[in-house]
Amino acid sequence: MGRVAEAETEGVAVCLANVNGELSALDNVCPHRGGPLGQGWLEGDVVVCPWHSWSLHAKTGLAEYPEHERVEVFPLRVEGEDVLIDIE
């Protein structure tokens, strides 16, 4: 089981995805129509946009369809209870 949530770091909106305890940080803006990915849901290891159900892989940011679409995935690390996201 997993979940997604919205966060912001240094003015950048981020979608945090927790897939079975493993975190990923993706750009929060869906490439289709700009939907907020962090308000969507997970289906396995895929983040589903709440606006039009575009599906993007939580680890790679690649869309299931169309295949050439993607969002940026940011490196992150967990220190204690803090999630540190490198958006550069």
Side-chain angles (χ1 to χ4, degrees), residues 75-79 82-86:
L76 65 76
R77 69 183 186 280
V78 177
E79 291 184 1
D82 296 324
V83 178
L84 305 173
I85 301 167
D86 183 4

Side-chain angles (χ1 to χ4, degrees), residues 7-75:
E8 186 175 316
T9 182
E10 296 184 35
V12 175
V14 176
C15 169
L16 284 177
N18 181 339
V19 179
N20 298 318
E22 192 169 345
L23 294 177
S24 296
L26 301 88
D27 185 341
N28 194 45
V29 180
C30 180
H32 177 231
R33 298 275 181 167
L37 294 175
Q39 293 179 22
W41 62 91
L42 283 174
E43 290 183 1
D45 59 357
V46 172
V47 176
V48 180
C49 180
W51 285 8
H52 301 103
S53 297
W54 271 40
S55 300
L56 299 121
H57 192 274
K59 286 289 178 196
T60 65
L62 291 170
E64 290 192 331
Y65 179 84
E67 294 176 17
H68 66 280
E69 293 289 346
R70 69 177 316 141
V71 294
E72 188 169 359
V73 177
F74 305 108

